[in-house]
Amino acid sequence: MKASRVIDLLNSKETGIEVSVKGWVRTKRGNKQVAFIAINDGSIIHSIQAVADLGKFDEETLKQVTTGACISVSGTLVPSQGQGQKVEIQADSIEILGAADESYPLQKKGHSMEFLREIAHLRPRTNTFGAVFRLRHHMSFAIHKYFNDRGFFYLHSPIITGSDAEGAGEMFRVTTLDLNNIPRDENGDINFKEDFFGKSTNLTVSGQLEGELAAMALGQVYTFGPTFRAENSNTPRHLAEFWMIEPEMAFYDIKDNMDLAEDFLKYLVSYALEYGMEDLEFLNNQYDKELINRLKFVVENPFERLTYTKAVDVLMASGKKFEFPISWGTDLQKEHENYLVEHFKRPVILTDYPKAIKAFYMKQNDDENTVRAMDILFPWIGEIIGGSQREENYEKLQRRIKEMHIPEEELWWYLDTRKYGACVHSGFGLGFERLMLFITGMTNIRDVIPFPRTPKNAEF
């Protein structure tokens, strides 16, 4: 008999039928006559209960039905006698597919997040991480569905790059050079001409620049892939490896960009509420009583739009003593972003940031002091999206590259697009793990990605 998924059995409207299920034992309890076995296969946060009459089964088999063991149970699906679920399985046969050693670390007691990070190979079996990773799937699918349904094309941007899109320099080098015998040129510098690509290369921090190139031909594209940043930070908000969603659109100005970003975020949150509610309810009840209310808050409220300059005025007029003093020209910190969301009682989109604190590719305003950047601020999370109208003027872009001391020879191809049929275009980036923090209510970014990569940590 083909095994059914737990989710299908729990949702079954038919009882009295023969069924089979395969999964992992969450708990086993009972008495001398009967055992109650909770089985979960990952298809849903809930387990299905199998009721085993001990007289039907040999003692050796039942001894191996322990927490963590993988088993197959066949029997009759019947109305449940207990509370919590509508149906259960009256077991006729139990097969041990994989016994669990007595050292199995996930027991019924609660475990700290720090402990679970140390056993990331097992933590998906917990209710918490099962919920998080199912929601991660829902959000991944929703992202592709949103863009596909609106005529965007999915672009696979390179993971290995010879340029630094952000200009921050915090990149992982890719090399095949012998580190014990590094070739040098006549000046004593590393001779990258002998490296695999014949030049210095790194893991990408963004697919944006390549996305812009494709948008100049395909109109509307998006990238969704891994990005890397060698920032030596151990905060709950930083990863060395993370995923980015970066749409780029020809003929979009900054207003079009804001409209798309707001619609996109509302769609994703609505999708989570529609398709992941059981997991959200678990996370809401266990970790964050305001989680579902925050998600609904985003969907139900139009985003407030104002300039960076007006936002600074609001912050300075607040009378609040911030840990990081605020003045025009300073980058906003999370405390400032949270205050603005609370002040306006809705998500906030800030525009027209000082040129000095933003990237080289952003469209310069006529005042020559600000650029057409946009950041979207969410409750609790702070900045969730960063984007801009891109600079399409060749001379202005070239001048900005020189001002920021970025090697022009690395970006000749990017500048070329401003010479051959340039147009107004815009785009933004959404950090997938930042989104997942908001969707799940988790407080540490290492808990929304299956295998976190952080300084001094590349296990699993």
Side-chain angles (χ1 to χ4, degrees):
M1 182 189 305
K2 185 177 180 180
S4 299
R5 296 188 308 160
V6 170
I7 188 174
D8 297 327
L9 293 177
L10 292 177
N11 291 329
S12 176
K13 295 179 181 178
E14 191 177 3
T15 57
I17 56 175
E18 296 301 306
V19 297
S20 174
V21 67
K22 296 178 181 179
W24 293 268
V25 177
R26 286 291 174 84
T27 60
K28 184 180 77 170
R29 59 184 178 84
N31 51 44
K32 292 181 179 180
Q33 285 78 41
V34 67
F36 301 97
I37 307 164
I39 305 164
N40 188 279
D41 65 357
S43 60
I44 189 172
I45 195 163
H46 306 296
S47 300
I48 192 164
Q49 179 170 276
V51 181
D53 183 339
L54 300 190
K56 288 184 179 181
F57 301 97
D58 65 90
E59 187 176 342
E60 191 57 37
T61 296
L62 291 174
K63 275 185 179 179
Q64 295 182 77
V65 180
T66 59
T67 300
C70 185
I71 66 173
S72 174
V73 175
S74 297
T76 307
L77 191 68
V78 299
S80 179
Q81 300 301 306
Q83 294 182 339
Q85 59 186 26
K86 294 179 181 178
V87 294
E88 62 190 20
I89 300 173
Q90 198 70 45
D92 293 325
S93 68
I94 298 174
E95 181 184 357
I96 308 300
L97 302 178
D101 189 86
E102 62 182 13
S103 63
Y104 183 65
L106 293 174
Q107 298 301 321
K108 192 173 181 179
K109 66 175 184 178
H111 298 289
S112 71
M113 290 296 179
E114 290 79 6
F115 172 73
L116 293 175
R117 285 178 213 131
E118 295 173 2
I119 54 168
H121 58 307
L122 295 174
R123 68 178 183 167
R125 296 196 196 182
T126 65
N127 281 335
T128 296
F129 287 95
V132 168
F133 297 149
R134 278 188 295 270
L135 285 165
R136 190 178 169 103
H137 157 77
H138 290 317
M139 290 297 90
S140 297
F141 182 81
I143 287 161
H144 287 298
K145 179 173 172 55
Y146 179 87
F147 287 121
N148 181 73
D149 291 352
R150 288 155 182 76
F152 281 68
F153 299 105
Y154 178 33
L155 179 75
H156 295 115
S157 54
I159 291 174
I160 299 173
T161 179
S163 60
D164 181 356
E166 298 299 323
E170 296 167 332
M171 304 180 76
F172 289 101
R173 176 158 287 157
V174 176
T175 183
T176 58
L177 294 177
D178 182 356
L179 299 184
N180 293 314
N181 188 25
I182 297 176
R184 304 279 179 178
D185 59 21
E186 60 274 12
N187 297 319
D189 298 324
I190 298 174
N191 186 5
F192 285 107
K193 290 182 179 179
E194 294 190 23
D195 209 346
F196 186 90
F197 293 104
K199 61 183 291 188
S200 174
T201 53
N202 306 283
L203 296 179
T204 187
V205 298
S206 170
Q208 176 201 317
L209 302 188
E210 291 82 6
E212 285 188 54
L213 309 187
M216 294 300 99
L218 300 174
Q220 298 181 146
V221 304
Y222 72 103
T223 71
F224 183 8
T227 51
F228 309 85
R229 193 156 299 174
E231 185 176 358
N232 189 17
S233 173
N234 272 302
T235 77
R237 291 164 61 88
H238 289 91
L239 290 168
E241 177 185 283
F242 52 99
W243 289 67
M244 288 287 293
I245 304 100
E246 297 174 289
E248 292 291 331
M249 298 75 63
F251 315 118
Y252 272 52
D253 63 16
I254 187 67
K255 182 183 181 301
D256 300 322
N257 206 27
M258 289 190 286
D259 291 344
L260 180 73
E262 178 172 345
D263 186 65
F264 178 48
L265 287 171
K266 287 186 172 183
Y267 176 91
L268 294 181
V269 176
S270 297
Y271 194 96
L273 288 167
E274 181 174 357
Y275 293 98
M277 182 54 85
E278 288 185 319
D279 289 320
L280 290 174
E281 286 174 342
F282 169 81
L283 295 170
N284 189 94
N285 293 335
Q286 292 293 318
Y287 295 100
D288 186 344
K289 303 298 184 185
E290 289 302 310
L291 173 59
I292 292 176
N293 286 338
R294 267 201 313 274
L295 297 178
K296 291 180 177 178
F297 170 86
V298 165
V299 174
E300 294 167 359
N301 288 284
F303 294 7
E304 184 75 22
R305 302 183 183 190
L306 69 159
T307 65
Y308 165 92
T309 299
K310 289 182 180 178
V312 169
D313 290 342
V314 169
L315 292 166
M316 293 181 71
S318 70
K320 183 176 175 63
K321 186 172 178 61
F322 294 107
E323 179 182 353
F324 295 93
I326 186 70
S327 61
W328 198 96
T330 59
D331 214 350
L332 300 186
Q333 302 298 317
K334 188 179 178 183
E335 60 174 338
H336 307 134
E337 297 166 345
N338 286 340
Y339 179 86
L340 291 168
V341 173
E342 291 169 8
H343 175 80
F344 289 105
K345 295 181 171 52
R346 63 188 63 202
V348 172
I349 308 181
L350 298 184
T351 60
D352 301 299
Y353 277 77
K355 179 173 70 173
I357 62 173
K358 287 297 183 180
F360 72 93
Y361 48 73
M362 296 187 176
K363 176 70 177 175
Q364 298 169 49
N365 286 319
D366 293 338
D367 62 14
E368 298 187 353
N369 288 321
T370 61
V371 291
R372 291 179 201 172
M374 68 164 205
D375 284 348
I376 298 185
L377 314 180
F378 261 21
W380 182 72
I381 202 79
E383 181 196 334
I384 195 165
I385 273 182
S388 72
Q389 185 174 325
R390 315 310 192 189
E391 181 58 76
E392 82 277 8
N393 182 282
Y394 180 91
E395 287 75 21
K396 287 184 177 180
L397 181 61
Q398 184 183 47
R399 185 164 61 248
R400 189 72 181 126
I401 287 172
K402 288 179 178 176
E403 286 174 2
M404 298 186 72
H405 307 291
I406 299 170
E408 190 175 329
E409 61 273 14
E410 291 183 2
L411 292 172
W412 65 269
W413 46 272
Y414 185 71
L415 281 163
D416 252 13
T417 59
R418 275 61 177 178
K419 292 164 57 179
Y420 307 131
C423 69
V424 169
H425 63 289
S426 299
F428 60 80
L430 168 63
F432 189 48
E433 283 69 34
R434 189 69 64 87
L435 170 70
M436 291 309 303
L437 280 177
F438 184 74
I439 294 292
T440 63
M442 293 288 101
T443 57
N444 193 312
I445 202 165
R446 302 174 196 200
D447 298 327
V448 295
I449 191 169
F451 305 105
R453 298 292 181 249
T454 54
K456 305 294 188 293
N457 180 30
E459 285 292 330
F460 313 106

